[in-house]
Amino acid sequence: MMRVAIIGAGPSGLTAAAELARQCASVRVFEKRDGASNLSRAVGITPGSLDLLTPCGAGPAIAAEAVRFTSMIMHHGARPIMRLPLNFDARSSVHGLPQDRTEAHLAAAFQRYGGQVIYGHKVTGLAQDENGVTARFANGDSYHADWLIGADGAHSVVRNALDTPFAGYDLPGDWSIADVQSRTWPHKNNFTGFLLPQGHIAVVVPMAADRYRVIADRPDARAALPVDLPIDHLNRSGTFTIGIRQANSYQKGRVFLVGDAAHQHSPVGGRGMNLGIADAAELARRLVDGTQDGYSAARHPLGRHVLNVSERARRMLQSRGARKALLLGMMHIVNRVPPLQRAAARQLLSG
Ligand SMILES: Cc1cc2nc3c(=O)[nH]c(=O)nc-3n(C[C@H](O)[C@H](O)[C@H](O)COP(=O)(O)OP(=O)(O)OC[C@H]3O[C@@H](n4cnc5c(N)ncnc54)[C@H](O)[C@@H]3O)c2cc1C
């Protein structure tokens, strides 16, 4: 039986694990944390991801627990200017769930196929030859497999061990998030976005009953909102910086990169986790059918496309002056024409 080592138990690593275990590979997932994550990072799950996760059972479990969004409502300051219905058919639906819950469903699927995440194992180095690859861990352990998947996030030790360049740039300034409980926020099923003065942006995204994620391109997400979000409890808040980067190649010999280890971009468009899930599902399929050497050539251009689309959308949403006036004009038109609303929603959710 083919032996695969996966480094990192985020959504990308767990998707690869569940899919490989389902298709009869012997899989070990090594994670540096001591236990499962409790961080709510990525919220939006696209229909494409749910489809990919249906065979292993995680997709239906995620959809059953998640919030299904009704609409996206964009505001100019505090004034609503465009509403896009998001659930006019199965392909237009988008679900919100805290990332740790998505990971729990993926880990449960992996477990159903006999797998288990091995925690407390921080990879520190690799060695490979034509017969296999050996991972070395900080605690002195090592593990030999036929193939190794680096799903260890943006600061990937696996990518560094391969000496693969991660070219790109960093966005200036701090972005921020808040994970809040609110019983009285009116948009229980709506994604709300706010275009603010000076080209700033903020969003409020439902992720569970009365629980919301706020993100802004300012150091204080809650203070950036132009409307009152009554908070019953603040679960977590923090700042982060954003890199726009992509690995030159997603494969070297017997080692592959998936998810944030292969690419990184802003939260605009909510694609990061979804792209990682798609990388992982495709790599699992290719390892099983023996076409793994085509993985990088297939996924790298898709990753480049998503980075470009996300960056174009970010620049547009953060624009000022004439470009912002054009954006607002377009939103006014789309808001009045249902076929344009549906086309815009499909565009947002494709992939
Ligand atoms: C605030 C915020 C909001 C976001 N919102 C969205 C969204 O709405 N939609 C979306 O699609 N994406 C979103 N993203 C992006 C999303 O969180 C990431 O793209 C996603 O987590 C990538 O998954 P991954 O499995 O590739 O990497 P990660 O989730 O980073 O997982 C990597 C795992 O590897 C482990 N690890 C790291 N180094 C080692 C090592 N040396 N040895 C062993 N284990 C290691 C880590 O502990 C971690 O568990 C958001 C990100 C942020 C920060």
Side-chain angles (χ1 to χ4, degrees):
M1 194 187 267
M2 170 172 66
R3 294 208 304 175
V4 184
I6 298 176
I7 310 302
S12 308
L14 290 170
T15 297
E19 276 301 286
L20 281 163
R22 180 180 74 80
Q23 297 172 75
C24 286
S26 162
V27 186
R28 297 265 175 108
V29 177
F30 298 97
E31 165 59 53
K32 71 176 178 183
R33 280 183 275 106
D34 289 330
S37 161
N38 60 0
L39 298 180
S40 63
R41 297 195 300 165
V43 173
I45 301 162
T46 61
S49 292
L50 291 181
D51 287 349
L52 291 170
L53 298 177
T54 292
C56 72
I62 289 168
E65 182 182 339
V67 180
R68 187 175 177 187
F69 299 168
T70 307
S71 305
M72 168 192 265
I73 305 173
M74 293 301 298
H75 298 73
H76 182 206
R79 190 164 53 89
I81 52 166
M82 182 182 74
R83 176 188 282 262
L84 295 183
L86 289 179
N87 60 359
F88 49 88
D89 64 24
R91 300 312 299 165
S92 73
S93 75
V94 63
H95 289 79
L97 189 68
Q99 184 170 317
D100 53 331
R101 293 299 308 147
T102 298
E103 290 172 3
H105 288 297
L106 289 166
F110 179 41
Q111 225 169 347
R112 276 196 299 277
Y113 292 105
Q116 201 153 14
V117 178
I118 301 159
Y119 290 106
H121 276 65
K122 179 179 182 178
V123 79
T124 51
L126 307 176
Q128 60 171 322
D129 58 31
E130 63 276 16
N131 297 317
V133 49
T134 302
R136 287 190 306 277
F137 299 95
N139 60 7
D141 284 358
S142 64
Y143 183 71
H144 185 78
D146 300 313
W147 306 99
L148 183 140
I149 301 176
D152 51 341
H155 304 287
S156 172
V157 170
V158 172
R159 188 185 63 236
N160 290 341
L162 296 178
D163 232 359
T164 298
F166 197 42
Y169 53 93
D170 294 318
L171 298 182
D174 280 346
W175 291 49
S176 56
I177 55 165
D179 176 338
V180 304
Q181 305 284 149
S182 173
R183 277 167 298 168
T184 48
W185 176 248
H187 299 291
K188 295 199 179 301
N189 291 78
N190 295 325
F191 175 108
T192 48
F194 300 88
L195 302 176
L196 306 171
Q198 311 301 326
H200 289 298
I201 52 175
V203 297
V204 181
V205 190
M207 52 181 168
D210 297 334
R211 184 175 171 195
Y212 302 90
R213 147 65 42 71
V214 190
I215 309 182
D217 62 349
R218 312 293 307 270
D220 183 340
R222 286 172 299 154
L225 287 176
V227 293
D228 185 34
L229 166 56
I231 292 177
D232 299 310
H233 184 70
L234 174 65
N235 297 326
R236 189 170 170 261
S237 66
T239 60
F240 61 103
T241 54
I242 294 174
I244 314 295
R245 298 178 185 279
Q246 188 178 26
N248 284 16
S249 169
Y250 293 2
Q251 179 184 6
K252 203 170 212 179
R254 294 181 162 269
V255 180
F256 302 88
L257 300 173
V258 294
D260 279 16
H263 42 68
Q264 199 192 2
H265 58 86
S266 86
V268 172
R271 282 301 159 74
M273 178 176 73
N274 292 288
L275 188 58
I277 287 171
D279 289 343
E282 175 157 350
L283 178 57
R285 176 185 61 75
R286 284 177 173 277
L287 282 168
V288 170
D289 69 19
T291 60
Q292 64 279 350
D293 286 344
Y295 166 73
S296 188
R299 294 305 304 178
H300 193 279
L302 288 173
R304 170 59 42 199
H305 174 71
V306 171
L307 256 64
N308 288 342
V309 169
S310 166
E311 271 300 87
R312 270 205 300 277
R314 180 191 64 76
R315 287 196 192 104
M316 180 74 98
L317 291 171
Q318 290 187 311
S319 61
R320 307 178 192 197
R323 283 195 76 194
K324 182 160 181 177
L326 182 66
L327 173 66
L328 293 172
M330 277 165 38
M331 286 182 168
H332 278 296
I333 293 169
V334 170
N335 192 47
R336 292 205 188 94
V337 186
L340 288 181
Q341 292 172 1
R342 290 196 286 273
R346 283 219 168 80
Q347 179 68 30
L348 274 170
L349 299 173
S350 59

